[in-house]
Amino acid sequence: MSFTATTYPHITLRDDGMTVIAGSTMKVAELVAEVQAYGWSPEELHFQHPHLSLGQIHSALAYYWDHKDTLDRELAQALREADEHRAVAGPSAFSRIRS
């Protein structure tokens, strides 16, 4: 009996190294961020993103668990950058509107 290794058929790697779900613009890290922020199950992710199949979602989550350290660093970096942009931008004009 012989075995052939498989890969992640629903995951593609962009030129910049970012992993995305094949056939979409959804980054694996974005999907994982939703799981971390909201505790969503694969079924809830599918409900929220009906353009993604459950196979694509499960593949993305499997990819995350196999590359957790790298993706966790990417997510932490994205949060730091968002905080930096928010600090530079200052308060929103909408937050100064009083009723």
Side-chain angles (χ1 to χ4, degrees), residues 27-37 60-61 64 71-72 75:
K27 297 174 188 172
V28 171
E30 291 173 332
L31 201 69
V32 169
E34 291 178 351
V35 172
Q36 293 175 345
L61 296 175
Y64 167 72
L71 287 170
D72 282 349
L75 286 166

Side-chain angles (χ1 to χ4, degrees), residues 47-93:
F47 177 78
Q48 297 295 329
H49 305 284
H51 62 283
L52 299 176
S53 71
L54 278 171
Q56 288 172 308
I57 292 167
H58 281 283
S59 189
L61 296 175
Y63 183 90
Y64 167 72
W65 286 109
D66 287 344
H67 302 88
K68 185 179 183 316
D69 293 340
T70 300
L71 287 170
D72 282 349
R73 280 192 300 276
E74 287 178 16
L75 286 166
Q77 177 63 29
L79 286 173
R80 280 191 298 275
E81 289 174 6
D83 288 341
E84 290 169 7
H85 290 295
R86 198 174 299 111
V88 169
S92 166

